[in-house]
């Protein structure tokens, strides 16, 4: 075994037991040390002093000199010194690997490493604090201690001279005209170039065969537009660091919905097959009602709706207008079985994991900005639920009326570390809200005027959370227990209060978002669920936990006082909370993703040329192993839906929720999960993951995990010797 393979051998050892039946979880720490010694330190460009390093990074156009010039030189020296002094070791091999592979600044030839984790944290702290030295130090502390983690685009790009934008994703409306379609494609190219994921709403596009200029059977429908978008996303990427990625959303009652779904089938004709574009469905309440009653569902022509209503299909409630649309002879309609529709959706999700789902009436019924616009789509990860308004164009694609499109300014709290903040949890949330607000006020969105307009009007942010399963397991709480639901409810109840309070405080200096006076925040009606009811912790275990951490739960009176403060001062941000899937940053933070359970106590990942990497769950040991043993597939969808529903009560946007099904699951099981999520008022469903398994002795593995299993076993046995 060569020296270069030591860290791989140690890492692989984590999934095997010793002669006493105990797992080698400590071997992952050995893998970190070996990886740093073998791969990182020998390839790091070293400097004699901080000044020499910063001078080099600025001179060679790696660091943004303007950011450093915003602070006193002595402070710059102090914050780098504090970072070096207070840095924490990586908690997992995957965390170290993820950082140096995906985030660390390297020379242009990628031969030498220019940053370690603490350096990247400093540059983020300086950027997010916007010249406020106290805030910079506080954010440094929060990030080093893994209490708060900016989303990948922010963490990756902060402080760099050559960078993409800090924003995670963008949402664009597409209207039923060539100018809007062209603008959507060109804007997608521009934003993909800058590193963001895109989602576009295609609901308003006229269906295949609809008239053009009064001539029947002329429209080619949505598929050609999807093809153009797919090509655009595959072409544009951020200097090769983040591949272009896009999603398209379509309303369930659009006439081409079945064709839309068919584009993802493995055996689809190449003329319509969509390989890399993600699909999302917008599903109203009426669709579920029709399926429950085993009725046919009508698909309505968006071309006719716009002519009858004077507004696009997206801008009316299909549930409310369904009977009127049925009765209107001027609106063309076709019919399909509602149950067959859901059956097809389930079949496709078993086959591809798509489509995502956004529950239209669920998100619009709680939309505090309903006077300004409707929520008509979500994003690439299904956690954004914001209103948008249409734009209109001249033939040269210049704007005649600028609408509001959406940007996602995201970051996440690590629940386990946030709980350790105890009585300072409010300060942590305040720092995080201010950091994300800074992202919303710092990005250059001039390439996408409608996104820029929406961002400047709303300064919407999405503060989320991760490591729920990690916190529960390390406190010996099973994910599918009543205590888990009780804790989730209480944590997000408190998070919502402190987020709104922080945004209210921020409004004193930044002013309110543009539409505050029209929102349900202004009259206090949004907050009735807090001012008219008292939150109660239901289980003794959670009461003890909250007391142990000195974690304050706001009272009913606290909410009443906050509502009065909001009426007086407003809110700086139109939206505050959204729980992203946190795939990359949870690995970086060595914690469990989002609110999801782990897939297994030791997850198997494929990481490029390195091959297989084993990822032990957060702080796993032989004492808490049983609390991780029941993974996402074994738990099934119900506990995940229940957890998400508990948090969703307090999250003003949505929560990225993946459902996991075993190989024995049927489409009926999946349909049942949709209905459960819908009834529980979850806002959306992200992916559906279906496990195909084969058995090896007494262990069960995903089929792809068996490919290098024996190689890893041989490697580990050598390592043990």
């Amino acid at each position: 075994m060569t020296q270069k393979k030591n860290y791989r051998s140690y890492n692989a050892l984590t999934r095997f037991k010793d002669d006493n039946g105990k797992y080698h979880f400590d071997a992952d720490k050995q893998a970190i040390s070996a990886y740093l010694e073998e791969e990182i330190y020998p390839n790091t460009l070293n400097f004699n002093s901080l000044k020499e390093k910063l001078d080099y990074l600025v001179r060679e156009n790696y660091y943004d000199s303007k950011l450093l010039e915003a602070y006193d030189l002595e402070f710059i020296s102090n914050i780098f010194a504090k970072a070096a002094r207070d840095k924490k070791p990586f908690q997992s091999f995957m965390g170290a690997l993820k950082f140096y592979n995906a985030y660390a600044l390297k020379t242009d030839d990628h031969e030498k490493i220019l940053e370690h984790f603490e350096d990247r944290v400093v540059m983020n702290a300086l950027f997010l604090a916007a010249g406020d030295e106290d805030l910079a130090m506080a954010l440094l502390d929060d990030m080093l201690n893994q209490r708060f983690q900016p989303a990948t685009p922010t963490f990756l790009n902060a402080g760099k001279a050559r960078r993409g934008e800090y924003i995670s994703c963008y949402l664009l409306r597409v209207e039923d005209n060539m100018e809007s379609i062209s603008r959507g494609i060109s804007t997608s190219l521009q934003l993909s170039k800058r590193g963001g994921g895109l989602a576009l709403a295609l609901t308003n596009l006229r269906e295949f065969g609809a008239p053009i200029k009064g001539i029947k059977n002329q429209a080619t429908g949505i598929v050609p537009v999807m093809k153009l978008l797919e090509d655009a996303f595959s072409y544009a990427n951020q200097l090769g660091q983040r591949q272009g990625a896009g999603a398209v959303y379509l309303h369930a009652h659009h006439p081409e919905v079945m064709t839309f779904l068919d584009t993802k089938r493995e055996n689809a004709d190449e003329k319509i097959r969509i390989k890399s574009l993600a699909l999302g469905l917008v599903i109203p309440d009426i669709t579920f009602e029709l399926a429950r009653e085993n009725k046919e569902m009508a698909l309505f022509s968006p071309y006719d709706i716009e002519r009858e209503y004077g507004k696009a299909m997206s801008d009316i409630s299909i549930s409310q207008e369904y009977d009127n649309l049925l009765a209107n002879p001027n609106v063309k309609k076709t019919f399909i079985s509602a149950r067959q529709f859901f059956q097809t959706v389930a079949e496709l999700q078993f086959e591809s994991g798509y489509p995502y789902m956004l529950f239209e009436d669920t998100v619009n019924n709680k939309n505090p900005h309903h006077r300004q616009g409707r929520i008509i789509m979500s994003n690439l990860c299904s956690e954004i639920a914001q209103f948008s308004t249409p734009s209109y164009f001249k033939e040269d694609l210049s704007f005649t009326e600028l609408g509001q499109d959406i940007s996602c300014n995201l970051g996440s709290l690590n629940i386990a570390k946030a709980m350790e903040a105890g009585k300072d949890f409010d300060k942590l949330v305040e720092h995080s809200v201010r950091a994300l607000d800074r992202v919303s006020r710092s990005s250059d969105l001039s390439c996408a005027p409608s996104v820029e307009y929406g961002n400047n009007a709303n300064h919407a942010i999405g503060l989320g959370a991760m490591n729920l399963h990690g916190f529960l397991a390390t406190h010996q709480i099973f994910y599918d227990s009543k205590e888990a639901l009780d804790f989730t409810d209480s944590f997000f109840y408190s998070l919502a209060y402190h987020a709104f309070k922080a945004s209210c405080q921020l409004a004193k200096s930044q002013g309110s978002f543009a539409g505050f006076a029209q929102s349900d925040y202004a009259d206090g009606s949004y907050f009735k669920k807090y001012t008219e009811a008292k939150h109660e912790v239901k289980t003794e275990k959670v009461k003890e936990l909250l007391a142990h951490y000195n974690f304050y739960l706001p009272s009913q009176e606290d909410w009443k006082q906050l509502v009065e403060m909001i009426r007086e001062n407003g809110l700086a941000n139109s939206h505050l909370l959204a729980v992203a899937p946190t795939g990359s940053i949870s690995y970086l933070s060595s914690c469990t993703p989002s609110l999801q359970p782990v897939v297994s106590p030791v997850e198997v990942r494929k990481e490029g040329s390195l091959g297989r990497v084993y990822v032990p769950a957060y702080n796993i040991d032989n004492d808490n192993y049983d609390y991780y043993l029941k993974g996402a597939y074994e738990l099934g969808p119900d506990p995940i839906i229940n957890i998400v529903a508990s948090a969703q009560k307090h999250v003003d946007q949505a929560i990225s929720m993946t459902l996991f099904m075993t190989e024995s699951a049927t489409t009926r099981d999946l349909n049942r999960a949709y209905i459960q999520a819908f009834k529980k008022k979850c806002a959306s469903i992200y992916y559906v993951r279906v496990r195909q398994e084969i058995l090896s002795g007494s262990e069960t593995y995903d089929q792809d995990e068996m490919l290098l299993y024996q190689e890893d076993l041989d490697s580990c046995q050598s390592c043990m010797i």
Side-chain angles (χ1 to χ4, degrees):
M1 179 169 54
T2 64
Q3 184 69 15
K4 286 290 183 182
K5 290 187 177 180
N6 280 349
Y7 61 87
R8 292 195 62 186
S9 299
Y10 284 126
N11 174 249
L13 183 59
T14 58
R15 72 171 306 165
F16 297 101
K17 295 179 181 178
D18 62 19
D19 293 338
N20 297 317
K22 301 293 186 181
Y23 285 92
H24 295 275
F25 294 128
D26 288 343
D28 195 58
K29 298 291 192 293
Q30 294 172 285
I32 300 168
S33 299
Y35 174 65
L36 296 176
E37 292 293 335
E38 295 168 17
E39 297 285 357
I40 303 305
Y41 297 148
N43 295 305
T44 298
L45 189 60
N46 295 309
F47 299 89
N48 294 318
S49 67
L50 175 64
K51 183 179 184 305
E52 180 184 343
K53 178 176 181 176
L54 294 180
D55 286 347
Y56 169 84
L57 293 172
V58 170
R59 183 177 65 250
E60 298 299 322
N61 205 29
Y62 290 113
Y63 274 180
D64 179 5
S65 61
K66 292 182 180 178
L67 176 61
L68 296 173
E69 289 166 2
Y71 294 88
D72 181 80
L73 286 176
E74 183 179 357
F75 178 78
I76 294 287
S77 178
N78 289 341
I79 195 170
F80 271 100
K82 178 176 172 58
R85 184 174 63 249
D86 295 351
K87 66 181 180 182
K88 303 294 189 294
F90 287 103
Q91 295 303 299
S92 72
F93 169 66
M94 184 62 177
L97 182 70
K98 180 63 70 175
F99 175 74
Y100 285 108
N101 278 359
Y103 295 94
L105 183 64
K106 300 180 181 69
T107 53
D108 291 341
D109 59 9
H110 282 249
E111 292 295 319
K112 290 292 183 180
I113 295 164
L114 298 173
E115 284 182 327
H116 295 300
F117 182 78
E118 62 270 20
D119 301 314
R120 187 95 297 269
V121 169
V122 168
M123 297 309 289
N124 272 262
L126 294 175
F127 163 67
L128 294 171
D132 184 326
E133 294 182 357
D134 290 338
L135 180 58
M137 283 295 191
L139 285 169
L140 176 80
D141 195 51
D142 288 337
M143 286 185 279
L144 284 179
N145 287 286
Q146 299 183 328
R147 293 189 286 265
F148 169 69
Q149 175 61 45
T152 287
T154 306
F155 197 64
L156 178 66
N157 289 304
K160 291 183 179 178
R162 291 168 287 172
R163 60 169 179 82
E165 285 305 326
Y166 312 110
I167 294 172
S168 297
C169 52
Y170 308 89
L171 288 75
L172 305 175
R173 286 179 61 124
V174 180
E175 309 307 326
D176 188 31
N177 57 75
M178 193 65 75
E179 292 76 22
S180 182
I181 293 169
S182 300
R183 262 287 184 173
I185 294 168
S186 64
T187 302
S188 295
L189 281 165
Q190 289 292 333
L191 292 173
S192 291
K193 181 176 79 172
R194 290 158 173 80
L198 268 292
L200 300 97
L202 304 185
T203 295
N204 298 333
L205 298 187
R206 69 189 73 186
E207 70 277 14
F208 181 87
I212 296 179
K213 295 184 177 179
I215 304 173
K216 295 181 179 179
N217 300 317
Q218 296 300 304
T220 56
I222 61 172
V223 173
V225 178
M226 294 167 69
K227 287 280 191 182
L228 288 168
L229 287 168
E230 184 168 55
D231 289 342
F233 290 123
S234 66
Y235 179 74
N237 65 69
Q238 184 195 331
L239 299 175
Q241 294 182 84
R242 302 187 81 213
Q243 294 301 312
V248 287
Y249 278 80
L250 192 75
H251 200 282
H253 290 261
H254 188 283
E256 288 194 87
V257 67
M258 300 306 281
T259 302
F260 179 75
L261 296 174
D262 283 344
T263 63
K264 271 295 180 185
R265 291 193 181 277
E266 291 181 1
N267 61 352
D269 189 299
E270 286 300 318
K271 292 179 181 178
I272 70 164
R273 189 179 179 199
I274 296 297
K275 298 177 183 177
S276 59
L277 200 64
L279 306 186
L281 283 174
V282 180
I283 305 179
D285 288 2
I286 187 66
T287 319
F288 284 96
E289 293 172 16
L290 293 168
R292 186 184 67 241
E293 296 168 4
N294 198 18
K295 291 182 177 179
E296 288 191 319
M297 56 185 281
L299 311 179
F300 302 107
S301 166
Y303 176 84
D304 292 339
I305 287 176
E306 187 157 4
R307 275 142 192 81
E308 286 295 297
Y309 281 79
K311 59 176 67 175
M313 182 174 177
S314 288
D315 294 325
I316 68 170
S317 168
I318 295 297
S319 289
Q320 291 177 10
E321 293 297 323
Y322 189 80
D323 290 339
N324 293 331
L325 289 166
L326 277 180
N328 191 332
N330 295 324
V331 177
K332 182 181 178 181
K333 53 197 74 76
T334 53
F335 293 88
I336 60 174
S337 163
R339 289 188 179 178
Q340 184 57 48
F341 165 76
F342 281 110
Q343 173 73 13
T344 301
V345 170
E347 290 172 359
L348 187 62
Q349 287 184 323
F350 272 111
E351 190 172 313
S352 68
Y354 300 106
Y356 311 149
M357 294 182 179
L358 179 72
F359 299 130
E360 181 183 34
D361 293 308
T362 299
V363 294
N364 278 291
N365 288 342
K366 62 181 289 189
N367 174 18
H369 312 284
H370 56 89
R371 297 177 187 87
Q372 290 185 268
R374 286 177 54 78
I375 299 166
I376 69 167
M377 63 186 299
S378 189
N379 65 319
L380 194 58
C381 300
S382 78
E383 81 276 12
I384 296 302
Q386 299 178 23
F387 76 90
S388 57
T389 59
S391 295
Y392 301 96
F393 307 91
K394 297 178 183 177
E395 287 188 354
D396 65 358
L397 305 189
S398 60
F399 287 86
T400 59
E401 183 178 337
L402 195 58
Q404 292 188 30
D405 281 318
I406 299 164
S407 62
C408 315
N409 307 300
L410 306 178
S412 294
L413 301 181
N414 180 330
I415 292 174
K417 301 297 184 181
M419 289 298 294
E420 292 175 4
K423 62 182 177 58
D424 292 326
F425 180 71
D426 59 337
K427 294 184 177 65
L428 169 62
V429 177
E430 179 190 356
H431 302 157
S432 304
V433 168
R434 290 180 64 184
L436 298 183
D437 180 80
R438 160 71 164 158
V439 174
S440 79
R441 297 177 194 273
S442 305
S443 295
D444 179 4
L445 296 172
S446 56
C447 70
S450 59
V451 176
E452 182 177 48
Y453 180 45
N455 181 68
N456 290 344
N458 296 309
H459 295 293
I461 65 172
L463 179 61
M466 56 188 177
N467 206 18
L468 176 65
H469 195 182
F471 178 80
L472 296 174
T474 52
H475 289 82
Q476 299 187 335
I477 297 174
F478 287 107
Y479 186 90
D480 56 347
S481 66
K482 61 183 180 180
E483 287 82 6
L485 296 177
D486 194 21
F487 172 78
T488 303
D489 186 12
S490 296
F491 180 86
F492 278 91
Y493 168 84
S494 186
L495 175 59
Y497 172 83
H498 292 299
F500 278 109
K501 186 174 182 179
S503 187
C504 181
Q505 294 290 346
L506 196 55
K508 294 178 181 179
S509 58
Q510 299 287 2
S512 290
F513 68 88
F516 172 75
Q518 298 172 263
S519 73
D520 289 348
Y521 299 140
D523 63 11
S525 57
Y526 178 85
F527 302 105
K528 284 184 177 180
K529 58 187 173 184
Y530 301 119
T531 58
E532 295 181 357
K534 183 180 179 182
H535 177 82
E536 294 184 359
V537 182
K538 300 178 179 64
T539 61
E540 289 303 316
K541 174 80 171 182
V542 174
K543 288 178 183 177
E544 292 169 5
L545 264 181
L546 299 181
H548 171 75
Y549 283 106
N550 199 14
F551 187 82
Y552 180 71
L553 284 178
S555 66
Q556 194 173 356
E557 186 59 34
D558 288 332
W559 275 105
K560 290 177 181 178
Q561 292 177 11
L562 177 57
V563 170
E564 291 306 312
M565 288 173 55
I566 290 171
R567 281 176 173 158
E568 181 179 348
N569 300 311
L571 292 168
N573 316 97
S574 63
H575 300 79
L576 286 166
L577 302 180
V579 182
T582 70
S584 186
I585 63 170
S586 62
Y587 290 123
L588 180 66
S589 300
S590 303
C591 68
T592 63
S594 190
L595 308 186
Q596 302 286 148
V598 297
V599 174
S600 62
V602 180
E603 183 189 1
V604 184
R605 293 279 300 177
K606 293 180 181 177
E607 289 293 317
S609 60
L610 188 62
R612 306 172 76 72
V613 175
Y614 300 97
V615 188
Y618 173 77
N619 283 359
I620 191 170
D621 57 32
N622 287 288
D623 293 328
N624 60 39
Y625 177 83
D626 286 348
Y627 295 89
Y628 286 117
L629 184 58
K630 212 173 183 183
Y633 291 106
E634 291 76 23
L635 285 165
D638 284 357
I640 298 172
I641 290 168
N642 292 338
I643 284 285
V644 168
S646 293
Q648 187 68 73
K649 292 185 292 185
H650 311 294
V651 173
D652 59 308
Q653 295 188 71
I655 296 169
S656 185
M657 176 174 66
T658 297
L659 301 181
F660 296 84
M661 313 294 287
T662 65
E663 75 289 346
S664 63
T666 65
T667 54
R668 184 170 183 170
D669 294 325
L670 196 46
N671 281 164
R672 181 182 159 281
Y674 305 155
I675 295 168
Q676 179 78 347
F678 168 71
K679 287 182 175 179
K680 289 277 189 176
K681 300 298 181 184
C682 297
S684 63
I685 295 174
Y686 186 31
Y687 279 114
V688 171
R689 298 295 192 198
V690 181
R691 182 170 65 183
Q692 299 296 327
E693 298 177 333
I694 59 176
L695 297 178
S696 174
S698 61
E699 302 269 359
T700 303
Y701 298 94
D702 289 348
Q703 189 167 2
D704 64 347
E705 290 185 23
M706 294 299 296
L707 297 176
L708 295 178
Y709 176 82
Q710 189 60 47
E711 177 185 327
D712 292 331
L713 180 59
D714 294 341
S715 167
C716 290
Q717 288 173 336
S718 299
C719 184
M720 285 186 278
I721 293 170

